[in-house]
Amino acid sequence: MTTAAQIPGPPGLPLIGSMLDLTRRPLQTYLAARRDYGDVVRFVAGPPGLRAEFFMVFSPEGAHQVLAGEAANFRKDNGFYDELRTSIGNGLLTSQDNDYQRQRRLIQPLFTRRRVDGYVDAIALEADALTERWRAVPGGVVDAADEMSRFALRAVARILFGSDVEAAVEVVHRSFPVLGEYILERGFSPVRIPRAWPTPANRRNAEAQRDLYGICDQIIAERSARAGAVETDDLLALLARARGEDGAGLDPTELRDQVLIFLLAGHETTATSLAFGLHLLARHPEEQRRAQREAEAVLTGRSPTAADLEALPYITQVLKEAMRLYPAAALMGRRSVAETVIGGHVVPAGAQVILAPWVTHRHPDHWADPDRFDPDRFLPGREKERHRYAWFPFGGGPRACIGQHFSMLEAVLAMGVLLRDFDIEAVDHEVALAQGITLRADSPMRIRLTPRG
C-alpha cells in the first residue's frame, strides 16, 4: 500500500512541476503518465505557494469505484464545477445533495425512452434541413465540427423551445464559446481574480452571460404569460409543468438553470460525437460504404423515426467507436470526502481525483490496437466481454448522464440521414485537438460532400 506522497508521477520542473506539459499538451501528457507510471498517477503543478496536487485514475476498475462503487465519497467539489455553477447555474449537471435529488426526481420522467422518442420529429426536421443546405454549398466543402455544432444546437433548441428556436440559436452559438473559455481558464487557475473586476475577460464573460440569461428568461417569461392559452409539449413546457410529490415545481431561476444545462450538455457532447464520427468515416471508405448501405436500406425515401434506432446497429457502432477515440468528456473530476484506496494507493481526504476517458478508452489492457478505428469493437458480444467502465463517455453510477438515450438517438438518426444523402471525403486528414469543457477540434475538420442519388 502506497501513501499519497508515494504514488508515482512525473517529476516535472523544479519550480512549476508539470504545469507546462499540462497546459501545452494535456492529452499526450495523460497518455504518457499511464504508460510510464501506471493506473493511478500523482501530478503536482504550479509554483510554490500556489501548487496544486491531483490524482489521475486510468483503470476501468478505478472509474467504477469513483463513479459507482463509492460514488458518495466523490463529489463535484472543485474549481471547475464551482465556475460552471456560477456561469450557467445550479442545474442537473452541477447541483449536489438535496438539490440534485429533487431535480433528478422532477426531470427523470422527461427523459424516459418513450418520452425521448417523441423528440424525433424535431431531430428529423433539422437533419432534413441540413441536407438541403449542404446540397447548395459551393464546392461541397464544409467544416464538420462547425456544422455539427450548429446542427446539434438547433436540434436541442427546437426540442426545448419549439417554435421559439430561432430566437435562441444565435445567442447561444455566440455566447457559449465565450463562457466555456472563461470557465475553463478560471476553473484550473491557482489564482482567480474577482469576477467584478473590470478586466477584458470579465467583461466579455459578463456580456455573454447577460445575453444568454436574457434570451432564456425572455422565452420563459413569454411562455408563462401565455400559459393556458396555448398548450405546447416542447421540453421547456414539460419542465415548467413538472411537479414533485409535494406539488412543487421549478421556479423561474431553476427553470433557466435546467435550460442552460440542457443547451450546453445536450448539444456540445452530441456535436463532438457526430463531427468525429463523420470525419473518421471520411477517412475510412470501407466503413463509410458499410454504414451507407445500412442507411439506404432503412431510411431511403423518408424521414427517420424512433424505431429506426434499433435498425441502424452499424451506425451505432461507428458512433460508439468515435466516442471511444474522441470522448466529449475527456476528463471527469471529483473531490474525495474521506481517505480511500484506489488501485492499492491511498488517496487522502479532500484530494482532487480525475478520471480520464481519453486514456481509459485507449487502455491497452482492454483495447487491442487502441488507436485503430474499428466499429466492430462494439458488436454486442464483444461489448459484453469488456469491463463496464472500459468505455464510459456518459459517466456512470447514480450521476450517469440522464440524456444518454437522447444523445444516441439524435446522433444515430442524424448520421443515417447524412450518409444516405452524401458521400464524404476528408479534406483535412489530421486534426489538432483541444481540451475545453468538451473535447474539440483545434484546427479545421473539413470534409468534401458529394450528393448521392
Side-chain angles (χ1 to χ4, degrees):
M1 196 80 67
T2 58
T3 65
Q6 295 171 326
I7 293 176
L13 297 173
L15 290 178
I16 58 173
S18 297
M19 189 171 71
L20 284 183
D21 285 340
L22 291 168
T23 302
R24 294 176 177 176
R25 44 186 180 274
L27 299 175
Q28 299 93 321
T29 298
Y30 309 145
L31 287 169
R34 190 219 58 80
R35 181 195 65 214
D36 296 341
Y37 301 103
D39 284 336
V40 180
V41 177
R42 175 177 175 263
F43 277 92
V44 176
L50 296 173
R51 187 155 291 182
E53 175 187 70
F54 60 93
F55 302 88
M56 298 202 71
V57 177
F58 301 127
S59 68
E61 295 80 7
H64 172 265
Q65 181 177 344
V66 171
L67 296 177
E70 297 181 18
N73 192 46
F74 296 95
R75 296 171 53 82
K76 290 187 172 184
D77 286 341
N78 57 31
F80 171 74
Y81 279 110
D82 289 345
E83 290 298 325
L84 197 58
R85 284 187 199 95
T86 304
S87 290
I88 60 173
N90 193 43
L92 199 60
L93 178 66
T94 54
S95 62
Q96 299 194 102
D97 303 323
N98 291 337
D99 285 344
Y100 175 77
Q101 295 299 331
R102 174 175 174 268
Q103 291 173 17
R104 184 93 182 195
R105 285 194 298 270
L106 280 169
I107 295 167
Q108 183 74 58
L110 309 186
F111 283 87
T112 62
R113 183 174 291 265
R114 181 178 178 183
R115 177 65 76 176
V116 168
D117 288 350
Y119 304 147
V120 165
D121 287 348
I123 296 168
L125 183 65
E126 291 299 335
D128 289 341
L130 180 61
T131 64
E132 288 304 307
R133 187 168 62 78
W134 275 10
R135 290 182 187 278
V137 171
V141 175
V142 299
D143 188 299
D146 185 63
E147 292 290 312
M148 291 303 97
S149 178
R150 283 189 172 272
F151 161 76
L153 174 57
R154 288 190 62 86
V156 75
R158 185 172 295 282
I159 289 163
L160 269 167
F161 301 132
S163 59
D164 295 317
V165 60
E166 301 298 341
V169 165
E170 286 308 315
V171 173
V172 175
H173 190 73
R174 181 178 69 247
S175 301
F176 261 148
V178 177
L179 290 179
E181 182 179 347
Y182 185 78
I183 290 166
L184 198 69
E185 182 175 333
R186 287 176 61 86
F188 292 97
S189 174
V191 178
R192 287 178 244 171
I193 65 172
R195 286 179 174 235
W197 289 10
T199 66
N202 280 349
R203 288 199 300 268
R204 285 193 300 271
N205 176 75
E207 181 180 0
Q209 190 176 35
R210 189 165 51 248
D211 290 347
L212 192 59
Y213 280 31
I215 191 64
C216 289
D217 287 343
Q218 175 188 327
I219 292 172
I220 290 169
E222 289 172 355
R223 281 300 176 80
S224 179
R226 64 177 191 254
V230 180
E231 192 78 0
T232 60
D233 279 325
D234 54 49
L235 187 53
L236 175 57
L238 297 175
L239 283 167
R241 296 200 294 264
R243 294 292 181 271
E245 293 179 0
D246 59 357
L250 300 169
D251 66 32
T253 298
E254 292 175 315
L255 192 56
R256 182 189 66 203
D257 289 351
Q258 301 304 336
V259 165
L260 289 170
I261 291 294
F262 292 150
L263 283 171
L264 172 66
H267 99 268
E268 290 210 347
T269 54
T270 305
T272 298
S273 303
L274 272 168
F276 283 105
L278 288 172
H279 192 257
L280 284 163
L281 289 179
R283 292 161 45 206
H284 295 85
E286 184 176 340
E287 286 79 3
Q288 181 183 159
R289 286 191 293 271
R290 186 173 167 187
Q292 284 173 323
R293 287 194 295 269
E294 183 176 85
E296 287 173 343
V298 175
L299 298 176
T300 294
R302 64 176 178 83
S303 293
T305 68
D308 295 326
L309 179 62
E310 302 299 324
L312 298 168
Y314 187 70
I315 291 175
T316 301
Q317 291 171 212
V318 167
L319 282 157
K320 286 183 174 181
E321 177 72 340
M323 286 185 266
R324 182 186 73 83
L325 289 166
Y326 302 101
L331 301 180
M332 299 176 184
R334 298 291 191 270
R335 181 184 63 82
S336 60
V337 177
E339 179 179 282
T340 191
V341 177
I342 303 177
H345 302 286
V346 177
V347 174
Q352 299 300 323
V353 178
I354 312 293
L355 304 178
W358 171 260
V359 179
T360 308
H361 289 186
R362 289 171 165 78
H363 200 301
D365 291 350
H366 300 273
W367 303 96
D369 196 5
D371 291 324
R372 181 169 58 90
F373 174 60
D374 178 12
D376 281 341
R377 298 180 198 272
F378 290 92
L379 287 166
R382 294 179 68 179
E383 279 194 285
K384 290 178 182 178
E385 295 171 354
R386 279 192 298 272
H387 192 288
R388 158 65 182 85
Y389 285 84
W391 183 83
F392 59 111
F394 298 104
R399 296 205 61 145
C401 177
I402 198 172
Q404 178 172 348
H405 177 60
F406 168 71
S407 180
M408 290 303 302
L409 182 73
E410 178 184 359
V412 170
L413 298 186
M415 180 172 279
V417 169
L418 298 176
L419 293 175
R420 177 197 66 190
D421 291 350
F422 295 94
D423 291 323
I424 53 178
E425 176 188 358
V427 175
D428 302 298
H429 286 263
E430 299 297 326
V431 177
L433 303 175
Q435 177 195 325
I437 291 182
T438 55
L439 187 71
R440 60 181 176 82
D442 201 32
S443 65
M445 192 193 285
R446 292 172 296 175
I447 55 175
R448 179 172 288 107
L449 309 166
T450 302
R452 311 181 78 226

